[in-house]
C-alpha cells in the first residue's frame, strides 16, 4: 500500500514503485490533500475530498475537494494532475459517455456545468435547480443526463445542452433516487414514500410500478442499483433487508436479510463480473457503520468486506471492469482497493443454469440452511418474501419459490438449493433421443436450445483461459470496428469487439480475416448474456465446421468451394451449366452463404432451426445445406443472367422454405457419391480441449505473418504519420494561433487607437458638457443667490414694516399722551385764566381805590420796566442765540447718530434726546431764573414802594387780558398746525421750528408790552409752558419754563 499526498502538487506520478495490494484489505493507494497550518497541533490540516467518479474505461477517475479543485488520476499512465478550480464545492460528479473529454459537475450554487478536461474550459452552464444537485446519471447512449436534487429531477440533452423535461410529481413527496435503466429508454424513480415507478423517457408516462412488500416498518429506501444489462434491481434503506426485483417480469424475487449489526443501508451497487461485465452476481452494501460488505445475491454468502469502524467509508464507486473500488473515507481521504486480491470467489464462474428443488421442513431448514455461511454473520441469508403471490416463476434457468397450501403444514416451503453441475451431465443426454426429437419436430425447443447446443458441442468452460485472453485487451485489428460496422446497440458492439479480440489473441489468422465479424455476429447476438459460452461455441464451430477454410488465405477456401461445385454438378448439372455460361463462380453463390453462416439470407427462427441440424450432423452437412439452398432456388436463379442479380440474391433474404431446404440437404448429404462426398475430406466432430484451447495453425503462416507485419508496419506508419500530422497540426495551430494573436493584437491596437480617438472626442464632448453645466450651475447659483437676497430683502422689509408699524403705534401712543398732557395744560390755563379774571375783578375793585396812587408810580415803573425790558431782551436774545446754536449742534449730533443706528434703537435714542432736552430745558430755565431774579426783586421792591400807583396798573390789566388770549391762540394754532401737517407729528421738524419762532415773536412782543410786564408782576404763579418737538432724526425736545 502506498500513500500519495497532494500538498502543493499540481501533477506527478501516482505510484513510485510497482503497486502491490495489501494482503489484509486489498488496499492499493491512499490519497490525501494536506494543508500546512502554523497554528494547529501538528501543523497540518486535511482538505477533504467530496466527490469521486470513474470514467467509462475504468482506467482513470476524477476527484474534487471542498475547495473546488478537480484532480484527474490515470491508473494506466501512472499520472495525476490538477485540472481546474470550480470556485465552489462539488456536490455531484460524472463523466460524459458520449465524449470522453467532457465531465458534468453539480456545484453547491445549484448550477450544473460541463467542462472540457482537455482544454480546461467551461462548455456550458445549465441552470434549473433551486437546490444543490446530489446525483447525475448518464444514459447508456451518452446523449441524455438526469440530474436530481431533493425536490425535482431534470432531463438534459447533452448534444445541445438544453433542458428537455422535468419530473413535476416529485415536488409533492420528494425524490430519493432517479436513474436510467441500462440498455433501455426507461427512467427509474424512487420517492421518499417508498414508491418505485418506471417512466418512459420520451413522454414521461408511467409504464409500471414495482411492488413493495408490506411490512410494519417501512423500508425507507435510500439507495438503488441495477445490473449493467438492466435485468435486476436491488434496493436498500433504513432496515436490514435488501429487496431484489427482476425488471423483465416486474416482480420481487428475493429479500436478503443482512447481519444484525446493519441498521441502515447507505449505498448498494453491483460488482461487475470479470467474465461478463453486463451481468453481476455480487452486490456491495455500505451500511451505517462505514463497512462495505460484498454479498453473493444467489447464495447470500459474504465474499469480503472493506473499511472499518476506525476508518469508515462515506462513499464508494466501482469501475466498469470491477477491478478497482474507489472509496471516499469519512476523514476526507480516498482509498483505492484491488478487487481480485480481496477474494478468490469473485473470479469464480457463474453458477450453472440448472438447479434442483429440495423440499425442506421447517424444523430442518434452520439447521441445514446455514452450513455454507460464514460464522461471523450467522443471520445472513436470503428469504422469499411472504407477501409475494403464491407462485413466483423464474423463466428459463431461474428457480421457483412456492408456498404450499397444505393445511396440515402451512409453514413448509419449497426452497432453492443450488448444486454444482456434474461434469458428466453432457454424457447423460442421449444424442439419439435428441436426434429423434430434431427429426420429429424439425428443431429443438427454443427454451432448451442453448442447453442442447452446449451438450452437443461439449463446451469445457475454460474460464481461466478465456479470462487471460480478455486481459490482453482489444486487438489492434478491431480498434476501429465501430467505423466498419456501425451497430446501434453499444452493448452488442462491445460484445462483438471483445469476442473478435479474444479470437485474434487465440490465433493470429482471425485478426486478418475480414469476414470474421460477419461470421460470428449471429452467435454474439444469440449469446449476448454469456460471453464465455459464445466464445467457446464459435471456437468449436471454427475448429470443426470451418475445417480447411484458411489453407488458401487470404483467398476464399477454394478447396471447399470446389467441393460444393462438384456436389452441385452431381445433383443439378443444369444449374451448374447456367452458372458457367454466365461466368458465375462458387465465390458468388456459395461463399456468401458460408462467410455469413446463412445469417444474411435467413431470418432468426430459420437460422436457428438450420443450425439445430448443422450442429447435430457431421461438419460436412454444412456444405450439403449450401448446395441445397442453391438448388432450392434454381427457378429464380435460372432466370437470372446478370452477375449483379446473382450477387444480390445471395446477399439478401429470400422467400424460401427452410424445412424443404433442410430435407434437400439431408437428401444431398445421403445421395452424394463417395468420391465427391465432403465427409471423407473433413474430420469428424471433436470438442475443444478442457483447460486450454486447442492450437489453431492450419493456415499459411507466411501470409498471415506478412499481413500481420504489414498491418503492424502500416499501423506504425500510421501512428508515425499521425504523430507527424499531430506535430504538423500543432505547428499549424501554433502558427495560426500566432497569426490570430498577431491579427488580434493589430486589431486590438487599431481598436485601442480608435477607442482612444473616440475617448478623446468623448472627453471633449464631456468637457463641453461640463463647461455648459458649470455655466448653468453658476447661473442657477446666481438665481439662487438673487432669490435668497430677495427672500432676505422681503424678510427684512417685513421686519422693517413690522417695526414701522410698531413705532407708528408707539408714536400714536406718544401723540395720545401729548394730547392728554395738552388737554391737561389747557385745563390748567383755563383755570389760571379764571383765577386771573377773579383777580381782575378784584383789581377793578381796587382800581378805583388805587387809581390815583398808581398813576404816579406808573411812570416810574414804566421807565424802569423799559430799562429792564431792554436789558432783559438783550440778555434773552443772546441766551436764545446760544441755546439755538447748542440745539442745532445737538440736533446734528443726534441726526448723525440716528443715521448710524438701526431702527430697533430709535426708542433708546429718543429717550436720550428727551433726557438731553430735559437737561437743556433745566439749564435754560435756570438761566432765565438767574436773569429774572434781580428783576423780580427789584420789581417787588418797587411794588412795595409804589403802592400808590395801583390805579395805573389796573388800567393796564385790560391790555393783559387782551394779550393773554393771544398767547393761548398761538399755542392752539401751533398744535392745530401740527395736527394738519402732511408728515407725521414725529417726522415734521420744520413745523415745530416755524411755530417756535412765531411763538418767540409773540413772546417778545408780549414782554415788550409794559402793561403786560406790570400785570405779570402781579401774577407770579402764572405759568407759560411750551414744548418743542423736533423730529428731524427721530428725537423731540421738550422745554418747560417758569418765567418767574
Amino acid at each position: 500500500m502506498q500513500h500519495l499526498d497532494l500538498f502543493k502538487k499540481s501533477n506527478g506520478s501516482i505510484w513510485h514503485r510497482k503497486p502491490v495490494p495489501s494482503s489484509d484489505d486489498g488496499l492499493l493507494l491512499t490519497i490525501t490533500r494536506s494543508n500546512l497550518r502554523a497554528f494547529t497541533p501538528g501543523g497540518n490540516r486535511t482538505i477533504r475530498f467530496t466527490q469521486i467518479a470513474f470514467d467509462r474505461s475504468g482506467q482513470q477517475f476524477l476527484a474534487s475537494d471542498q475547495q473546488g479543485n478537480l484532480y484527474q488520476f490515470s491508473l494506466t499512465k501512472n499520472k495525476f494532475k490538477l485540472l481546474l478550480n470550480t470556485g465552489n464545492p462539488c456536490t455531484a460528479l460524472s463523466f460524459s459517455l458520449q465524449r470522453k473529454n467532457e465531465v458534468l459537475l453539480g456545484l453547491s450554487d445549484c448550477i450544473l456545468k460541463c467542462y472540457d478536461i482537455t482544454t480546461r474550459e467551461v462548455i456550458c452552464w445549465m441552470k434549473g435547480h433551486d437546490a444543490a444537485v446530489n446525483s447525475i446519471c448518464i444514459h447508456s447512449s451518452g446523449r441524455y443526463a438526469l440530474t436530481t436534487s431533493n425536490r425535482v429531477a431534470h432531463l438534459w440533452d447533452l448534444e445541445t445542452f438544453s433542458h428537455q423535461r422535468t419530473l413535476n410529481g416529485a415536488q409533492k413527496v420528494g425524490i430519493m433516487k432517479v436513474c436510467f435503466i441500462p440498455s433501455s429508454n426507461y427512467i427509474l424513480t424512487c420517492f421518499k414514500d417508498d414508491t418505485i415507478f418506471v417512466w418512459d423517457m420520451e413522454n414521461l408516462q408511467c409504464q409500471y410500478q414495482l411492488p413493495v412488500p408490506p411490512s410494519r416498518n417501512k423500508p425507507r429506501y435510500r439507495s438503488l442499483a441495477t445490473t449493467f444489462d438492466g435485468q435486476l434491481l436491488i434496493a436498500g434503506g433504513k432496515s436490514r433487508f435488501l429487496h431484489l426485483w427482476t425488471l423483465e417480469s416486474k416482480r420481487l424475487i428475493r429479500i436478503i436479510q443482512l447481519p444484525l449489526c446493519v441498521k441502515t443501508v447507505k449505498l448498494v451497487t453491483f460488482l461487475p463480473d470479470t467474465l461478463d461485465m453486463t451481468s453481476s452476481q455480487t452486490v456491495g452494501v455500505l451500511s451505517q457503520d462505514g463497512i462495505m460488505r460484498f454479498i453473493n445475491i444467489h447464495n447470500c454468502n459474504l465474499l469480503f468486506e472493506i473499511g472499518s469502524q476506525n476508518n469508515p467509508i462515506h462513499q464508494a464507486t466501482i469501475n466498469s471492469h470491477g477491478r478497482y473500488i474507489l472509496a471516499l473515507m469519512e476523514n476526507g481521504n480516498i482509498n483505492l482497493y484491488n478487487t481480485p486480491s480481496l477474494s478468490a470467489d469473485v473470479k469464480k464462474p457463474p453458477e450453472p443454469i440448472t438447479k434442483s428443488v429440495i423440499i425442506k421442513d421447517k424444523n430442518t431448514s434452520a439447521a441445514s440452511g446455514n452450513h455454507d455461511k460464514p460464522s461471523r454473520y450467522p443471520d445472513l441469508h436470503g428469504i422469499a418474501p411472504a407477501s409475494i403471490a403464491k407462485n413466483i416463476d423464474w423463466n428459463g434457468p431461474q428457480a421457483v419459490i412456492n408456498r404450499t397450501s397444505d393445511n396440515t403444514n402451512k409453514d413448509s416451503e419449497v426452497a432453492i438449493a443450488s448444486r454444482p453441475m456434474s461434469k458428466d451431465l453432457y454424457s447423460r443426454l442421449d444424442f439419439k433421443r435428441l436426434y429423434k426429437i430434431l427429426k420429429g419436430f424439425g428443431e429443438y425447443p427454443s427454451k432448451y436450445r442453448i442447453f442442447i447446443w452446449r451438450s452437443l458441442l461439449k463446451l469445457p468452460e475454460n474460464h481461466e483461459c478465456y479470462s487471460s485472453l480478455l486481459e490482453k485487451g482489444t486487438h489492434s485489428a478491431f480498434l476501429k470496428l465501430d467505423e466498419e460496422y456501425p451497430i446501434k446497440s453499444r452493448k452488442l458492439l462491445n460484445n462483438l469487439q471483445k469476442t473478435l479480440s479474444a479470437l485474434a489473441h487465440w490465433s493470429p489468422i482471425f485478426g486478418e480475416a475480414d469476414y470474421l465479424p460477419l461470421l460470428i455476429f449471429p452467435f454474439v447476438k444469440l449469446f449476448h448474456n454469456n460471453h464465455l459460452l459464445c466464445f467457446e461455441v464459435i471456437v468449436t464451430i471454427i475448429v470443426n465446421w470451418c475445417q480447411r477454410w484458411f489453407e488458401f488465405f487470404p483467398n476464399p477456401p477454394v478447396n471447399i468451394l470446389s467441393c460444393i461445385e462438384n456436389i452441385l454438378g452431381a445433383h443439378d448439372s443444369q444449374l451448374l451449366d447456367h452458372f458457367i455460361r454466365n461466368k458465375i463462380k462458387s465465390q458468388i453463390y456459395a461463399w456468401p452463404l458460408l462467410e455469413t453462416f446463412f445469417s444474411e439470407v435467413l431470418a432468426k427462427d430459420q437460422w436457428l432451426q438450420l443450425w439445430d441440424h448443422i450442429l447435430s450432423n457431421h461438419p460436412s452437412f454444412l456444405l450439403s445445406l449450401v448446395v441445397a439452398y442453391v438448388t432450392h432456388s434454381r427457378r429464380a436463379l435460372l432466370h437470372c443472367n446478370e452477375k449483379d442479380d446473382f450477387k444480390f440474391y445471395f446477399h439478401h433474404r429470400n422467400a424460401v422454405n427452410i424445412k424443404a431446404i433442410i430435407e434437400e440437404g439431408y437428401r444431398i448429404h445421403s445421395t452424394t457419391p463417395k468420391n465427391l462426398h465432403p465427409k471423407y475430406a473433413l474430420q469428424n466432430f471433436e470438442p475443444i480441449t478442457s483447460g486450454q484451447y486447442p492450437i489453431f495453425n492450419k493456415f499459411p503462416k507466411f501470409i498471415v505473418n506478412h499481413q500481420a507485419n504489414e498491418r503492424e508496419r502500416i499501423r506504425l506508419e500510421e501512428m508515425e504519420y499521425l504523430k507527424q500530422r499531430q506535430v504538423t497540426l500543432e505547428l499549424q495551430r501554433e502558427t495560426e494561433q500566432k497569426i490570430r494573436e498577431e491579427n488580434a493584437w493589430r486589431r486590438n491596437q487599431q481598436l485601442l487607437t480608435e477607442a482612444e480617438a473616440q475617448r478623446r472626442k468623448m472627453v471633449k464632448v464631456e468637457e463641453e458638457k461640463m463647461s455648459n453645466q458649470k455655466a448653468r450651475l453658476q447661473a442657477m447659483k446666481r438665481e439662487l443667490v438673487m432669490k435668497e437676497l430677495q427672500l432676505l430683502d422681503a424678510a427684512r422689509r417685513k421686519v422693517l414694516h413690522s417695526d414701522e408699524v410698531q413705532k407708528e403705534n408707539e408714536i400714536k401712543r406718544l401723540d395720545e399722551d401729548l394730547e392728554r398732557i395738552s388737554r391737561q395744560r389747557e385745563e390748567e390755563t383755563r383755570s389760571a385764566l379764571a383765577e386771573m379774571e377773579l383777580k381782575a375783578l378784584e383789581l377793578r375793585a381796587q382800581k378805583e381805590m388805587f387809581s390815583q396812587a398808581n398813576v404816579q408810580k406808573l411812570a416810574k415803573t414804566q421807565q424802569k420796566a423799559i430799562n429792564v425790558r431792554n436789558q432783559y431782551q438783550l440778555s434773552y436774545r443772546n441766551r436764545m442765540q446760544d441755546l439755538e446754536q447748542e440745539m442745532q449742534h445737538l440736533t446734528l449730533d443726534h441726526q448723525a447718530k440716528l443715521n448710524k443706528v438701526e431702527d430697533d434703537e430709535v426708542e433708546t435714542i429718543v429717550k436720550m434726546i428727551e433726557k438731553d432736552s430735559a437737561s437743556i430745558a433745566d439749564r435754560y430755565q435756570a438761566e432765565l431764573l438767574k436773569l429774572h431774579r434781580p428783576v423780580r426783586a427789584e420789581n417787588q421792591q418797587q411794588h412795595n414802594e409804589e403802592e400808590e400807583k395801583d390805579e395805573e396798573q389796573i388800567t393796564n390789566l385790560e391790555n393783559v387780558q387782551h394779550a393773554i388770549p393771544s398767547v393761548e391762540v398761538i399755542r392752539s394754532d401751533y398744535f392745530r398746525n401740527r395736527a394738519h401737517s402732511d408728515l407725521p407729528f414725529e417726522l415734521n421738524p420744520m413745523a415745530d421750528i416755524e411755530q417756535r419762532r412765531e411763538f418767540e415773536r409773540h413772546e417778545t412782543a408780549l414782554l415788550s408790552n409794559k402793561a403786560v410786564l406790570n400785570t405779570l408782576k402781579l401774577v407770579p404763579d402764572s405759568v407759560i409752558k411750551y414744548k418743542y418737538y423736533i423730529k428731524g432724526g427721530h428725537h423731540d425736545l421738550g422745554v418747560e419754563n417758569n418765567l418767574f
Side-chain angles (χ1 to χ4, degrees):
M1 189 269 291
Q2 300 185 36
H3 184 270
L4 175 63
D5 191 356
L6 303 180
F7 175 63
K8 291 185 178 181
K9 294 180 182 179
S10 59
N11 54 48
S13 300
I14 300 176
W15 293 290
H16 298 285
R17 61 181 183 274
K18 183 178 180 180
V20 178
S22 175
S23 59
D24 298 332
D25 52 3
L27 183 61
L28 275 175
L29 178 67
T30 298
I31 304 174
T32 61
R33 186 170 185 265
S34 60
N35 187 16
L36 186 61
R37 294 288 296 272
F39 301 100
T40 57
N44 289 335
R45 181 180 70 90
T46 301
I47 297 177
R48 298 174 56 87
F49 287 96
T50 57
Q51 295 294 327
I52 51 177
F54 272 108
D55 68 341
R56 184 177 182 181
S57 64
Q59 300 301 323
Q60 65 175 349
F61 63 90
L62 295 178
S64 65
D65 60 13
Q66 61 186 7
Q67 293 183 349
N69 297 314
L70 186 65
Y71 290 89
Q72 180 184 14
F73 299 86
S74 178
L75 302 178
T76 56
K77 297 180 181 180
N78 190 23
K79 297 291 183 183
F80 78 90
K81 59 181 177 180
L82 174 62
L83 294 178
L84 49 92
N85 185 284
T86 58
N88 292 311
C90 180
T91 59
L93 177 62
S94 178
F95 274 93
S96 176
L97 299 181
Q98 193 170 15
R99 291 175 285 272
K100 298 180 180 180
N101 59 334
E102 293 182 2
V103 61
L104 293 176
L105 297 177
L107 303 179
S108 59
D109 56 357
C110 309
I111 297 178
L112 182 67
K113 293 184 180 181
C114 181
Y115 284 93
D116 189 337
I117 60 177
T118 303
T119 61
R120 305 181 183 182
E121 295 179 352
V122 180
I123 299 177
C124 182
W125 295 42
M126 290 173 279
K127 297 182 180 180
H129 285 279
D130 55 356
V133 178
N134 53 32
S135 67
I136 301 174
C137 183
I138 309 297
H139 192 259
S140 56
S141 64
R143 179 174 179 178
Y144 300 100
L146 271 173
T147 58
T148 310
S149 63
N150 293 330
R151 290 177 290 180
V152 70
H154 292 289
L155 178 64
W156 308 87
D157 189 347
L158 297 183
E159 287 188 356
T160 59
F161 296 103
S162 60
H163 180 267
Q164 297 295 316
R165 293 185 180 273
T166 301
L167 190 59
N168 294 324
Q171 297 179 356
K172 299 179 180 179
V173 294
I175 293 178
M176 183 57 66
K177 183 71 174 180
V178 178
C179 62
F180 288 108
I181 298 179
S183 304
S184 68
N185 289 329
Y186 291 151
I187 297 175
L188 182 70
T189 60
C190 177
F191 300 100
K192 291 183 179 180
D193 58 353
D194 295 333
T195 55
I196 300 176
F197 293 91
V198 177
W199 312 79
D200 190 355
M201 187 178 67
E202 298 295 333
N203 50 23
L204 284 186
Q205 292 183 356
C206 182
Q207 300 299 314
Y208 56 87
Q209 180 181 1
L210 293 178
V212 178
S215 177
R216 295 180 180 177
N217 298 324
K218 293 184 178 181
R220 290 184 289 178
Y221 297 124
R222 294 185 59 183
S223 179
L224 290 87
T226 59
T227 56
F228 289 89
D229 56 0
Q231 298 297 321
L232 298 178
L233 170 67
I234 193 167
K238 294 185 178 181
S239 65
R240 51 191 294 259
F241 295 99
L242 297 178
H243 296 167
L244 184 66
W245 291 272
T246 172
L247 298 180
E248 184 178 1
S249 60
K250 310 175 186 62
R251 289 180 294 180
L252 180 67
I253 59 174
R254 180 164 299 177
I255 297 178
I256 300 175
Q257 184 177 353
L258 298 174
L260 291 174
C261 58
V262 177
K263 304 299 181 183
T264 301
V265 176
K266 297 171 61 178
L267 175 68
V268 290
T269 180
F270 280 101
L271 179 66
D273 293 338
T274 307
L275 302 177
D276 188 2
M277 304 300 176
T278 59
S279 62
S280 178
Q281 58 181 348
T282 305
V283 63
V285 182
L286 178 62
S287 57
Q288 84 286 346
D289 55 1
I291 300 175
M292 192 169 187
R293 301 170 177 86
F294 289 85
I295 304 169
N296 190 301
I297 60 176
H298 299 295
N299 54 23
C300 300
N301 288 336
L302 178 66
L303 303 179
F304 61 91
E305 61 184 25
I306 59 176
S308 63
Q309 293 183 356
N310 296 328
N311 190 17
I313 298 175
H314 174 68
Q315 182 182 351
T317 181
I318 305 173
N319 70 337
S320 58
H321 300 291
R323 186 176 180 84
Y324 299 108
I325 301 174
L326 196 63
L328 181 61
M329 315 306 290
E330 288 288 349
N331 57 10
N333 297 337
I334 298 176
N335 287 354
L336 182 65
Y337 296 91
N338 186 18
T339 307
S341 63
L342 290 170
S343 176
D345 295 336
V346 180
K347 287 189 175 182
K348 287 184 178 180
E351 295 183 358
I353 61 176
T354 59
K355 295 187 179 209
S356 60
V357 178
I358 300 176
I359 301 177
K360 294 184 180 181
D361 195 13
K362 179 179 180 181
N363 298 326
T364 60
S365 60
S368 61
N370 297 328
H371 67 277
D372 56 346
K373 299 175 188 174
S375 58
R376 181 177 177 184
Y377 301 108
D379 54 343
L380 177 64
H381 58 278
I383 60 175
S387 61
I388 304 181
K390 293 183 178 180
N391 298 319
I392 299 181
D393 296 332
W394 294 358
N395 295 331
Q398 297 175 342
V400 180
I401 300 178
N402 293 328
R403 182 178 297 274
T404 59
S405 59
D406 190 5
N407 297 326
T408 60
N409 190 5
K410 295 183 179 180
D411 296 332
S412 62
E413 293 181 356
V414 180
I416 305 302
S418 300
R419 293 190 307 173
M421 184 185 295
S422 177
K423 292 184 179 180
D424 59 344
L425 180 61
Y426 298 129
S427 61
R428 298 180 187 177
L429 297 177
D430 190 356
F431 177 72
K432 294 181 179 180
R433 295 182 64 184
L434 291 175
Y435 195 74
K436 289 181 181 179
I437 293 174
L438 181 64
K439 280 292 188 178
F441 294 96
E443 59 179 341
Y444 292 125
S446 59
K447 186 175 182 179
Y448 303 105
R449 176 177 282 117
I450 304 300
F451 177 71
I452 294 174
W453 283 15
R454 290 182 65 179
S455 62
L456 291 176
L457 299 178
K458 300 178 181 180
L459 302 180
E461 298 183 5
N462 298 327
H463 296 281
E464 297 291 339
C465 186
Y466 180 65
S467 298
S468 63
L469 293 176
L470 289 180
E471 290 178 355
K472 294 181 180 180
T474 304
H475 196 269
S476 59
F478 305 106
L479 292 174
K480 299 180 180 180
L481 184 66
D482 53 345
E483 297 178 1
E484 298 180 6
Y485 301 96
I487 302 175
K488 184 178 181 180
S489 175
R490 175 62 62 176
K491 176 182 176 182
L492 189 59
L493 180 62
N494 293 337
N495 295 342
L496 179 62
Q497 188 178 32
K498 189 184 302 182
T499 306
L500 289 172
S501 300
L503 290 173
H505 291 308
W506 172 52
S507 180
I509 182 64
F510 300 114
E512 308 300 329
D514 54 353
Y515 57 86
L516 187 63
L518 298 176
L519 186 73
I520 71 170
F521 179 74
F523 296 99
V524 173
K525 191 173 183 179
L526 180 64
F527 299 96
H528 65 279
N529 289 328
N530 197 328
H531 299 173
L532 175 64
L533 183 62
C534 175
F535 177 77
E536 293 189 349
V537 168
I538 293 172
V539 169
T540 304
I541 291 175
I542 289 176
V543 171
N544 293 278
W545 278 268
C546 297
Q547 298 180 39
R548 306 180 68 178
W549 276 29
F550 307 98
E551 293 178 356
F552 296 93
F553 185 81
N555 298 318
V558 180
N559 50 353
I560 301 298
L561 296 179
S562 62
C563 182
I564 293 174
E565 188 174 353
N566 293 332
I567 297 173
L568 180 61
H571 292 278
D572 196 342
S573 59
Q574 182 183 358
L575 184 59
L576 181 61
D577 293 339
H578 180 71
F579 286 156
I580 294 173
R581 284 195 303 270
N582 291 281
K583 299 180 180 181
I584 303 301
K585 299 180 181 180
S586 56
Q587 287 86 345
I588 296 177
Y589 64 85
W591 180 237
L593 302 177
L594 291 176
E595 68 177 356
T596 60
F597 279 153
F598 294 92
S599 61
E600 281 188 344
V601 296
L602 296 178
K604 179 181 179 181
D605 296 336
Q606 295 176 344
W607 185 85
L608 292 173
Q609 185 177 356
L610 180 68
W611 273 95
D612 286 342
H613 292 271
I614 293 174
L615 298 179
S616 301
N617 289 279
H618 192 271
S620 61
F621 185 67
L622 176 62
L623 307 182
S624 300
L625 287 176
V626 173
V627 177
Y629 184 85
V630 175
T631 56
H632 180 75
S633 307
R634 65 186 311 274
R635 292 183 181 180
L637 295 174
L638 289 175
H639 287 83
C640 295
N641 296 320
E642 298 293 335
K643 187 176 183 179
D644 293 337
D645 296 339
F646 289 101
K647 289 182 178 181
F648 181 84
Y649 187 83
F650 288 104
H651 283 281
H652 292 81
R653 292 182 183 179
N654 302 293
V656 295
N657 188 352
I658 189 64
K659 293 183 178 180
I661 293 175
I662 294 172
E663 291 176 359
E664 181 67 16
Y666 278 110
R667 187 189 66 80
I668 293 173
H669 189 70
S670 60
T671 58
T672 301
K674 292 183 178 181
N675 57 345
L676 301 178
H677 206 291
K679 70 178 181 179
Y680 299 102
L682 303 178
Q683 298 178 0
N684 294 329
F685 171 77
E686 291 183 3
I688 57 179
T689 57
S690 178
Q692 292 291 335
Y693 293 121
I695 299 174
F696 190 84
N697 56 0
K698 297 177 181 179
F699 55 86
K701 299 179 183 60
F702 172 76
I703 296 176
V704 174
N705 294 335
H706 175 71
Q707 287 191 355
N709 294 333
E710 285 294 320
R711 190 182 69 253
E712 184 67 19
R713 183 183 61 82
I714 293 172
R715 188 179 67 83
L716 294 176
E717 290 180 355
E718 185 178 359
M719 290 178 62
E720 185 66 23
Y721 167 74
L722 291 176
K723 289 181 180 180
Q724 294 179 359
R725 182 182 177 184
Q726 184 69 21
V727 172
T728 305
L729 291 176
E730 290 179 358
L731 291 175
Q732 184 179 358
R733 283 196 295 269
E734 291 179 358
T735 305
E736 293 176 354
Q737 182 67 21
K738 289 182 179 180
I739 293 173
R740 287 195 295 269
E741 291 178 356
E742 184 177 0
N743 294 334
W745 180 81
R746 291 179 179 177
R747 286 195 300 270
N748 289 334
Q749 291 298 322
Q750 184 178 0
L751 291 175
L752 288 174
T753 305
E754 295 176 356
E756 184 178 2
Q758 187 176 1
R759 291 294 174 84
R760 289 182 182 276
K761 293 180 181 178
M762 293 173 62
V763 169
K764 186 177 179 181
V765 173
E766 290 296 329
E767 288 179 353
E768 293 178 355
K769 290 182 179 179
M770 287 294 293
S771 61
N772 295 332
Q773 289 180 359
K774 287 181 179 180
R776 289 196 298 269
L777 185 61
Q778 292 295 332
M780 291 175 64
K781 285 183 177 180
R782 286 194 298 271
E783 291 179 359
L784 290 175
V785 171
M786 292 300 294
K787 289 181 179 179
E788 185 177 2
L789 292 176
Q790 291 176 0
L791 293 175
L792 291 174
D793 185 62
R796 187 179 63 82
R797 289 178 181 276
K798 288 181 179 179
V799 173
L800 291 176
H801 179 68
S802 62
D803 294 341
E804 184 178 358
V805 171
Q806 186 177 0
K807 288 180 174 55
E808 288 179 355
N809 294 330
E810 186 176 358
I811 291 170
K812 289 181 181 179
R813 181 176 58 80
L814 293 174
D815 290 340
E816 292 176 355
D817 294 340
L818 184 60
E819 290 178 359
R820 180 175 56 80
I821 294 170
S822 299
R823 285 194 297 270
Q824 291 177 358
R825 290 177 178 176
E826 289 177 356
E827 291 293 332
E828 292 176 354
T829 303
R830 283 195 294 271
S831 62
L833 291 176
E835 292 177 356
M836 290 176 67
E837 288 179 354
L838 291 175
K839 290 183 176 184
L841 292 176
E842 292 177 355
L843 290 174
R844 285 179 182 178
Q846 294 175 3
K847 180 179 179 181
E848 294 178 357
M849 296 172 62
F850 300 102
S851 59
Q852 296 178 358
N854 288 335
V855 170
Q856 296 176 0
K857 295 180 181 178
L858 182 62
K860 294 179 181 179
T861 304
Q862 289 179 352
Q863 184 65 33
K864 290 180 181 178
I866 291 169
N867 295 331
V868 171
R869 185 190 63 185
N870 292 333
Q871 185 179 358
Y872 172 76
Q873 287 180 354
L874 179 61
S875 61
Y876 178 78
R877 288 175 183 174
N878 293 332
R879 188 60 182 169
M880 288 299 292
Q881 289 177 359
D882 295 336
L883 290 174
E884 285 177 0
Q885 290 179 0
E886 189 176 354
M887 289 295 292
Q888 289 179 0
H889 287 297
L890 289 173
T891 304
L892 293 174
D893 292 338
H894 287 297
Q895 184 67 32
K897 290 180 181 180
L898 291 173
N899 291 333
K900 293 180 182 181
V901 298
E902 297 294 332
D903 293 338
D904 55 354
E905 298 178 356
V906 172
E907 184 177 359
T908 304
I909 296 173
V910 169
K911 292 180 180 180
M912 292 173 63
I913 293 172
E914 290 178 353
K915 184 178 181 181
D916 294 341
S917 301
S919 61
I920 293 170
D922 292 339
R923 284 185 292 172
Y924 178 71
Q925 186 178 3
E927 291 295 332
L928 289 176
L929 292 175
K930 288 179 182 181
L931 293 175
H932 290 285
R933 187 175 293 116
V935 176
R936 183 178 179 184
E938 184 179 357
N939 291 331
Q940 184 68 29
Q941 186 178 0
Q942 290 177 1
H943 178 69
N944 294 327
E945 291 177 356
E946 298 179 356
E947 292 179 354
E948 66 273 4
K949 297 181 179 181
D950 290 335
E951 292 179 0
E952 186 178 358
Q953 292 177 355
I954 294 171
T955 303
N956 294 330
L957 182 62
E958 294 177 358
N959 297 329
V960 174
Q961 292 177 353
H962 293 284
I964 291 174
S966 65
V967 176
E968 185 65 26
V969 170
I970 293 171
R971 289 176 57 87
S972 61
D973 293 338
Y974 168 73
F975 289 110
R976 186 170 54 253
N977 293 331
R978 286 173 56 89
H980 293 285
S981 176
D982 294 334
L983 293 175
F985 182 78
E986 294 82 359
L987 300 179
N988 192 4
M990 296 303 297
D992 292 338
I993 295 172
E994 292 176 357
Q995 293 292 332
R996 180 188 171 203
R997 289 178 178 176
E998 185 177 357
F999 183 79
E1000 288 177 352
R1001 286 195 299 269
H1002 283 82
E1003 185 179 7
T1004 304
L1006 180 62
L1007 293 175
S1008 61
N1009 193 346
K1010 182 178 179 181
V1012 173
L1013 289 174
N1014 295 326
T1015 305
L1016 290 176
K1017 291 177 182 180
L1018 298 177
V1019 189
D1021 294 331
S1022 62
V1023 179
I1024 300 174
K1025 299 179 180 179
Y1026 67 94
K1027 189 175 182 180
Y1028 281 81
Y1029 289 91
I1030 301 172
K1031 302 292 184 179
H1034 294 282
H1035 76 278
D1036 53 10
L1037 176 62
V1039 180
E1040 187 176 282
N1041 294 322
N1042 291 322
L1043 297 179
F1044 299 102

